[in-house]
Amino acid sequence: MARKLPRKDVVIVGLGWTGSILAYELAKAGLDVVAIERGPWRDTATDFPPAYAQDELRYAIRLDLFLRPEQETLTFRNNASQSALPIRSFAGFLPGNGVGGAGVHWNGQTWRFLPTDFRLRSHLEERYGKNALPGDMTIQDWPVSYDELEPYYDRFEKLCGTSGKAGNLKGTVQPGGNPFEGWRSSDYPNPPLKQGLGAALFAEAAHKTGHTPFPQPASNMSEAYVNPLGLKLGQCTYCGFCERFGCGNYAKSSPQTCVLPALLRFPNFSAQTESEVTKINLDSTGKRATGVTYVDTSGEEWEQPADIVLVCAFSLFNVRLMLLSGIGQPYDGATGQGVVGRNYAYQTTSGVSLILKDKILNPFIATGAHGMMIDDYNGDNFDHSGLGFVGGGYMGAGQTGARPIQTRPVPAGTPKWGAQWKKATAETYQRAFSLSTHGSSYSYKDCYLDLDPTYKDRLGRPLMRMTFDFHDNELKMSAYLTARLAEIGRAMDPAEMTASPRKGPYNVNIYQTTHNTGGTVMGADPANSVVNRYCQSWDVHNVFVPGGASVFPQNHGYNPTDTVGALAYWTADAIKDRYLKNPGPLV
Amino acid sequence: MANIVVRSLSRRSFLASTAALIVAGSTPGFARTIVGRMPWEPGSATPPVQVRPGPWMFFTADEAALVEAAVDRLIPPDDRGPGGKDAGCAVYIDRQLAGPYGGAAGLYMRPPFMPGAATQGYQLPGSPAARYRAGLLALADHVRTAFAGKTFRELAPADQDKVLGGLETGAIVLKDVNGAEFFALLLQNTQEGFFADPVYGGNRDMAGWKLVGFPGSRYDYRDWVDQHDKAYPLPPVSIMGRSDWTVRE
């Protein structure tokens, strides 16, 4: 029997980017807020100080900062004819764990979606006709527009201190930036990072081949920065330990560097760590949440009553919590009925690896998100007529640090061990780097999340089951993008080049990205969405899913975090300005 | 919903009461409540524990002899530097198998264990330590049978390479053990040891990092990021310092 705690105004499930932003905004508005986080408290000094943050084995291989599958994992299958089996060790994607969530271990790529991405189905049908899209593709328009979100993108980028160069200031194209991006009300808060030789050579080749390269927007500080909450970030030292690592230098934006020290100054905020929310509780009508139940490390259950429940966990676990709590109709992959778990999508990535003839690239000098990119083949930035697919992605030369357990390229055909391998490894390391594409993943009827019939977690609750595979549209898109990227690679006159477009089937063993999206998608119609345009549950009006990537109706050709952060601020304003005054459905 | 009261906070009043409150909570275990300030206590960081030379902690003497011989073929010594044995790869694997990694700590190990598609990931119940124990035993048996009672260490390097290559391709079938999977695990761990920070027992004297030119846990490349096509001049450094600062035990 759960022990009942004193009531709070707001209970937040998960203290990552969205949880900390919502907590700050609502605590500042005077509400009593508690955030319940199943992982440990984390901060720079204790968990990734510069004395030992640069430890590839611990953080990148043994995955010290990530969720332990014994605590929670998923089952996976490529299609409904297979039996799903548990992901026993995470590899294909890596959910974060603990305070800060994925905001601790991300690289810092900070991209906005394109204005046309927000009305994707309408836009594509207008341009290419109603029959252009595959019948089983379930993409839909977002219920918010780019113009509505623009101020919130701006706010999140200023919170982060993102480094970059505007390509479109209030409608005027800016030289040096991304000419395809949506209009921006202001430039990035920090100038672009410096680039290494690989990125510089790519930019030169991209320009020569008629493209428009620009520095990737990066939440790694090109200069020391004080954010609007008064928190100070240090200048990035290009140490090359960003992806999968916490930053020892306060130079990567994270809840730790950008929000938490200011948040904890509010006495009306508290965090409850190593405590896992097991359920959102509903009253007898099923239309109103009464709070949450959580279990602490000793196994004891607690009930936390609250007037507003904010579901702020990692996208996949938002979906599972909604399913376990019985909020919204679960999606049935066989019939296409139901909404919770519908439109799970991912990202379609690919690469082109290059070995240059005689260069010293120093590939270990890197930040998570510096690099030079082109956006010519993203979204609908190019004419898809006759190509046989829709969608696209950005591409270019990112360099996240050539840490040698994971990054030791050798020429094709080299043995995997022995004398030849050793020689090739030594001779190639300084001359090799890779280009990559970051492609969209549109949603389909047969790609979804539901509860597994067989496997359970440590508390006896069903694991969530993922059913996902790449579709022809995405594989054709990846083939096209990778071929364009290889043309630019060839213009760099490499000694050797290998292009690897994405091939099916999706393999959960091979790391691709942790951009798992959908499952509690936002929409204008309760028949095809779980939350409305304010990220509010259609069924239970005091439950919000404020901007986790689980609300994306499909995934676009960009990293999700900027949109996640923008939606968190958008939802915070809707709660403060509208919901508190008149609690009830906002749509 | 009438319960929500939007209060306007008096900053002065709460600053006055900033007795920073970190309650261990009324709950046992690690769960805790954090209020008032960023929690921090001296001495609460968890640096890695340095691997010290000494007796094997997981391997038997026979197993260790086999592994040391094998890692020295996977990464052979040559004029570029030491091989897997002298770089400490077997020590690294031994200490990893004796620790949380060997015991499959943190992995999802609940039944049922069922075979699946290759896209679904590893699905057998054995921990890495158990896989080594069984794999090394089966490999030793195979060598004894195929090479007239000899051990792997006693074989000529060319024969050792033949055995390892046969495991890799599946041409050699071990009793009750998937030889190719065991080889892949051994190769993965050997290369981890060769390129991981020396604090974990391998990559001795930063041999792996020197081989490729990786400077290790250098902290600050601000002066170097845009010095294109120039060799970085400083030698590698480990989390625990540099080999020429450290007395070799």
Side-chain angles (χ1 to χ4, degrees), chain A residues 90-325:
Chain A
F90 286 118
F93 54 88
L94 302 172
N97 189 40
V99 169
V104 172
H105 69 75
W106 74 316
N107 270 322
Q109 285 104 339
T110 312
W111 295 85
R112 300 179 177 195
F113 289 167
L114 294 166
T116 50
D117 286 338
F118 288 93
R119 48 189 310 277
L120 185 65
R121 179 171 281 276
S122 300
H123 172 84
L124 293 176
E125 288 181 353
E126 283 159 18
R127 184 166 179 187
Y128 302 110
K130 292 249 179 216
N131 297 324
L133 301 178
D136 60 346
M137 186 186 271
T138 51
I139 57 173
Q140 59 199 49
D141 293 358
W142 290 65
V144 288
S145 68
Y146 178 84
D147 288 358
E148 284 175 310
L149 272 191
E150 200 287 331
Y152 298 96
Y153 273 128
D154 188 63
R155 210 159 147 196
F156 183 66
E157 290 157 7
K158 288 190 165 104
L159 181 83
C160 288
T162 307
S163 306
K165 174 80 181 84
N168 177 346
L169 269 182
K170 296 173 184 159
T172 308
V173 171
Q174 306 291 311
N178 176 7
F180 296 98
E181 71 176 350
W183 67 275
R184 308 174 56 86
S185 51
S186 60
D187 205 339
Y188 290 93
N190 257 321
L193 293 156
K194 291 177 180 175
Q195 303 296 338
L197 178 56
L201 292 171
F202 170 80
E204 196 182 298
H207 186 73
K208 210 159 58 185
T209 49
H211 303 92
T212 311
F214 56 90
Q216 175 166 242
S219 289
N220 318 127
M221 299 307 101
S222 59
E223 293 174 5
Y225 180 70
V226 180
N227 82 1
L229 277 53
L231 303 179
K232 292 174 184 166
L233 287 87
Q235 186 179 37
C236 175
T237 60
Y238 301 83
C239 81
F241 290 80
C242 227
E243 178 172 50
R244 306 190 179 191
F245 301 83
C247 179
N249 192 39
Y250 299 83
K252 177 167 76 176
S253 318
S254 65
Q256 277 77 2
T257 52
C258 298
V259 187
L260 295 173
L263 171 61
L264 279 164
R265 289 178 202 140
F266 292 113
N268 48 331
F269 170 78
S270 64
Q272 178 70 29
T273 60
E274 308 215 43
S275 298
E276 180 167 348
V277 171
T278 53
K279 201 174 181 206
I280 300 167
N281 302 314
L282 304 178
D283 70 8
S284 56
T285 69
K287 301 281 181 201
R288 189 171 178 284
T290 57
V292 302
T293 297
Y294 69 88
V295 58
D296 67 20
T297 41
S298 69
E300 186 159 359
E301 275 198 325
W302 299 82
E303 186 189 337
Q304 176 61 67
D307 292 336
I308 299 177
V309 177
L310 303 179
V311 182
C312 294
F314 182 64
S315 64
L316 292 167
F317 308 125
N318 287 343
V319 182
R320 181 167 179 247
L321 186 59
M322 296 291 271
L323 288 169
L324 291 172
S325 305

Side-chain angles (χ1 to χ4, degrees), chain A residues 338-356:
Chain A
V339 287
V340 185
R342 179 175 169 273
N343 277 20
Y344 170 73
Y346 192 49
Q347 203 87 72
T348 316
T349 59
S350 71
V352 173
S353 61
L354 299 165
I355 300 172
L356 299 180

Side-chain angles (χ1 to χ4, degrees), chain A residues 402-437:
Chain A
R403 301 169 299 272
I405 298 176
Q406 289 199 292
T407 307
R408 285 176 276 105
V410 287
T414 304
K416 292 194 166 111
W417 54 279
Q420 284 181 61
W421 166 84
K422 192 178 176 191
K423 179 173 186 287
T425 299
E427 289 176 353
T428 311
Y429 179 81
Q430 271 287 10
R431 298 186 292 129
F433 76 111
S434 50
L435 309 174
S436 60
T437 78

Side-chain angles (χ1 to χ4, degrees), chain A residues 54-55 249 265 272 455-456, chain B residues 14 33 108 112 200 218-219:
Chain A
Q54 296 156 76
D55 183 342
N249 192 39
R265 289 178 202 140
Q272 178 70 29
Y455 290 94
K456 307 266 193 282
Chain B
F14 91 70
T33 307
Y108 185 83
Y200 296 107
R218 290 270 167 206
Y219 178 63

Side-chain angles (χ1 to χ4, degrees), chain A residues 7 29-32 41 43 45-46 51-52 54-55 57-58 61-62 68-70 73 76 78 83 85-86 88-89 194-197 200 235-239 249 261 264-275 288 296-298 302 307-308 359-360 362 364-365 402 404-405 408 416-419 421-423 425-427 429 455-456 458 463 505-509 579-580 583, chain B residues 1 3-7 9 14 26-40 44-48 73-78 80-82 92 96 101 106-123 161 164-165 168 183 187 191-192 195-196 200 209 211-222 224-226 228-232 239:
Chain A
R7 192 198 61 82
L31 301 182
D32 262 331
W41 183 264
D43 67 22
T46 308
Y52 58 80
Q54 296 156 76
D55 183 342
L57 182 72
R58 175 178 185 166
I61 307 297
R62 300 284 179 259
R68 304 284 192 267
E70 75 176 347
T73 186
F76 167 73
N78 286 113
S83 288
L85 295 177
R88 295 188 179 276
S89 58
K194 291 177 180 175
Q195 303 296 338
L197 178 56
Q235 186 179 37
C236 175
T237 60
Y238 301 83
C239 81
N249 192 39
L264 279 164
R265 289 178 202 140
F266 292 113
N268 48 331
F269 170 78
S270 64
Q272 178 70 29
T273 60
E274 308 215 43
S275 298
R288 189 171 178 284
D296 67 20
T297 41
S298 69
W302 299 82
D307 292 336
I308 299 177
K359 287 277 188 283
I360 299 170
N362 292 331
F364 45 84
I365 300 179
I405 298 176
R408 285 176 276 105
K416 292 194 166 111
W417 54 279
W421 166 84
K422 192 178 176 191
K423 179 173 186 287
T425 299
E427 289 176 353
Y429 179 81
Y455 290 94
K456 307 266 193 282
R458 67 200 172 102
L463 295 182
Y506 173 61
N507 187 332
V508 82
N509 279 313
Y579 186 76
L580 293 180
Chain B
M1 192 36 75
N3 285 341
I4 288 187
V5 182
V6 181
R7 283 175 292 273
L9 269 185
F14 91 70
S26 48
T27 61
F30 301 101
R32 60 175 177 172
T33 307
I34 293 155
V35 186
R37 67 163 169 85
M38 297 284 278
W40 182 81
S44 59
T46 52
R73 297 313 303 160
L74 297 176
I75 306 177
D78 61 12
R80 293 171 189 275
Y92 163 83
Q96 288 289 308
Y101 170 75
L107 304 189
Y108 185 83
M109 298 298 274
R110 289 174 192 275
F113 288 89
M114 297 197 288
T119 58
Q120 291 178 294
Y122 193 76
Q123 292 294 337
D161 285 356
L164 293 170
E168 182 183 27
F183 176 86
L187 178 61
Q191 294 183 342
E192 274 170 18
F195 292 107
Y200 296 107
W209 292 352
L211 179 74
V212 297
F214 178 67
S217 56
R218 290 270 167 206
Y219 178 63
D220 190 350
Y221 296 118
R222 277 176 294 184
W224 277 92
V225 57
D226 52 3
H228 292 169
D229 214 13
K230 280 189 195 166
Y232 182 74
I239 290 170

